[in-house]
Amino acid sequence: MLDDVIRLLSPHWPDYADFIVTERDEVLVAANMFLHRLVRMAKWDITELSGATAQNSDQFGEQSLFEEIGRAQWQQGRDLTSLLSAYQIGARVAWHHVAEVALEVGVPSDVFASLAEAVFIFIDQLSSASARGYVLEQSEAAAARERLRDELGNMLLSDRSDTAAIRAAAARLDWPLPQHAAVILVEPDNPVGSALLARLDQSCLHVRRQRMVCAIIPDPDGPQRRQRLASALHGAGAVVGHAVTLEHLPASLRVAESAAQLRRTNVLRDDPVFVDEHLDSIIVHRDPKLLDAFRHQALAPLTELGPVTRQRLCETLASWLRHLGDRRAVAEELHIHPQTVRYRMSQLRELFGESIDDPENRRRLTLALAWGLPEEN
């Protein structure tokens, strides 16, 4: 029987055939166990055969053994279907030999039917055991890999991780360390953003953060990478940090978190927001109290005005600074008459005095008004 199995396996599954040859004594023990089991099973009532085999299926530990075979199949990177196909060949050969002997000795028809049923139920059980082992090993390996990916991601975003530890963690994952990397942040209550991050390829690491959903992307400035990211993340409300070397990734994360806060308050409106396109906004808004104090200092001459007049003059002054004093351009932007611009600018000159023409003060006023009007105290 074993010789026939070897012959049939050799063309397509030579490794399995070689195993039977090299481990023949061990395989003979298993085959002997199979035949003795088969004879015992054939004595049962055929209508109770399935239940009986299920209750007594692991008397000799074969279920555990074949589950381990399934695990080994996954560990060796082999396909499960090839193993199950080999089992089917073994079943056909076994039944051929069993049937031949049964006919020779005149086994009664009901026992003959029980033998046939027993062969294929037994093989089905062993196949199920191997399939279960294969899937369990696959799931456990996937879970272990995800734990390693989480560990590496958290190490990359931690100021306390050293280079050697990061290299070791990356080697365990076979994750090539990039020259540069960036973070992508999405609000945790944004299901679209979370789903889009989940679809990023395996070169990206997902990191669990308390306040944001986060991913690390390698070499974000590669050819066409920005365009692809902009397209893939559109509608996700994402923030893409600036590309840095790995040791600076924790600092880049903090900047990206500041950008995410500015997006919540509508200071930044891009979708997605690329941090390196808004560094001026982030620098200015990193300390809201300091910015507020600066704005009120720079715009102090307007403090005593009513809110409507103050807003109107701030809008005019901001446009006048943007257009370098071009009254016609200011009028077109604000949809007012050039004479109205002249009148308002006269008011502003009266309030600010000569400082309105001072280049240093113009720079301060531009900065104070660049991101909208300051809130009232």
Side-chain angles (χ1 to χ4, degrees):
M1 186 171 68
L2 290 182
D3 289 341
D4 282 351
V5 172
I6 292 169
R7 178 176 54 79
L8 291 173
L9 288 178
S10 294
H12 302 291
W13 298 283
D15 290 349
Y16 297 150
D18 290 344
F19 176 81
I20 295 175
V21 172
T22 57
E23 305 294 335
R24 192 176 184 90
D25 290 342
E26 183 178 343
V27 175
L28 276 172
V29 171
N32 188 55
M33 174 270 295
F34 162 74
L35 290 174
H36 282 282
R37 166 74 82 81
L38 193 63
V39 171
R40 287 197 307 276
M41 290 166 65
K43 296 177 181 178
W44 300 329
D45 188 320
I46 192 169
T47 61
E48 301 175 354
L49 190 58
S50 297
T53 53
Q55 296 167 12
N56 299 275
S57 61
D58 203 27
Q59 182 178 351
F60 296 98
E62 63 267 15
Q63 293 284 312
S64 301
L65 170 63
F66 279 81
E67 186 174 303
E68 287 303 313
I69 290 174
R71 286 179 177 273
Q73 190 79 355
W74 164 258
Q75 293 167 356
Q76 295 165 11
R78 297 173 182 268
D79 190 358
L80 178 62
T81 56
S82 63
L83 179 63
L84 300 185
S85 297
Y87 286 173
Q88 292 301 315
I89 285 178
R92 291 201 303 271
V93 171
W95 173 240
H96 172 77
H97 284 271
V98 170
E100 186 176 50
V101 175
L103 290 173
E104 285 179 5
V105 300
V107 167
S109 59
D110 58 336
V111 177
F112 190 87
S114 292
L115 283 169
E117 186 83 1
V119 168
F120 292 101
I121 285 178
F122 191 50
I123 292 299
D124 183 61
Q125 289 177 345
L126 299 186
S127 297
S128 296
S130 288
R132 182 169 58 253
Y134 188 93
V135 171
L136 286 173
E137 187 67 22
Q138 187 180 45
S139 300
E140 291 169 10
R145 185 172 180 81
E146 284 306 308
R147 285 195 297 271
L148 288 173
R149 288 173 67 85
D150 286 346
E151 178 185 340
L152 176 58
N154 283 303
M155 290 173 69
L156 288 169
L157 296 180
S158 171
D159 287 318
R160 297 184 296 277
S161 298
D162 60 66
T163 303
I166 289 174
R167 288 187 181 279
R172 288 196 296 272
L173 270 174
D174 196 25
W175 191 74
L177 290 173
Q179 291 294 318
H180 296 87
V183 295
I184 301 176
L185 300 180
V186 170
E187 298 289 346
D189 57 354
N190 184 332
V192 175
S194 298
L196 288 174
L197 283 196
R199 288 200 293 267
L200 293 174
D201 62 54
Q202 285 297 301
S203 68
C204 303
L205 297 173
H206 294 268
V207 186
R208 294 180 178 85
R209 309 290 292 180
Q210 289 184 344
R211 291 172 293 178
M212 300 290 288
V213 179
C214 179
I216 298 172
I217 54 172
D219 298 320
D221 291 335
Q224 304 300 313
R225 190 72 187 268
R226 179 170 294 226
Q227 291 89 329
R228 291 197 297 272
L229 281 173
S231 176
L233 296 173
H234 182 70
V239 172
V240 182
H242 60 299
V244 293
T245 54
L246 294 183
E247 63 267 24
H248 294 130
L249 204 55
S252 179
L253 171 65
R254 290 191 286 272
V255 175
E257 288 173 335
S258 296
Q261 177 59 37
L262 295 182
R263 196 180 188 286
R264 292 187 202 106
T265 56
N266 292 317
V267 173
L268 302 180
R269 299 173 181 268
D270 292 357
D271 185 17
V273 170
F274 285 92
V275 164
D276 57 7
E277 296 176 0
H278 300 281
L279 291 175
D280 53 346
S281 302
I282 296 167
I283 291 169
V284 169
H285 289 84
R286 284 294 288 274
D287 190 331
K289 292 182 179 179
L290 187 60
L291 174 60
D292 189 56
F294 167 73
R295 278 176 153 178
H296 282 88
Q297 182 189 67
L299 301 172
L302 306 179
T303 301
E304 300 302 322
L305 300 177
V308 176
T309 302
R310 184 170 182 269
Q311 180 174 355
R312 186 165 57 234
L313 290 182
C314 280
E315 289 175 347
T316 303
L317 179 57
S319 181
W320 183 77
L321 290 166
R322 281 195 297 273
H323 295 293
L324 304 177
D326 186 335
R327 285 199 301 273
R328 187 169 298 279
V330 174
E332 289 178 359
E333 180 182 357
L334 300 181
H335 306 292
I336 58 177
H337 195 277
Q339 286 297 340
T340 304
V341 177
R342 181 190 294 274
Y343 172 70
R344 292 181 184 177
M345 287 308 303
S346 297
Q347 288 182 285
L348 287 164
R349 286 185 181 281
E350 184 177 340
L351 290 165
F352 281 92
E354 295 181 356
S355 68
I356 201 169
D357 292 316
D358 177 60
E360 184 71 15
N361 196 49
R362 284 191 183 186
R363 179 182 60 78
R364 289 163 56 82
L365 290 170
T366 299
L367 189 61
L369 294 167
W371 290 273
L373 305 181
E375 297 179 0
E376 294 290 333
N377 282 329

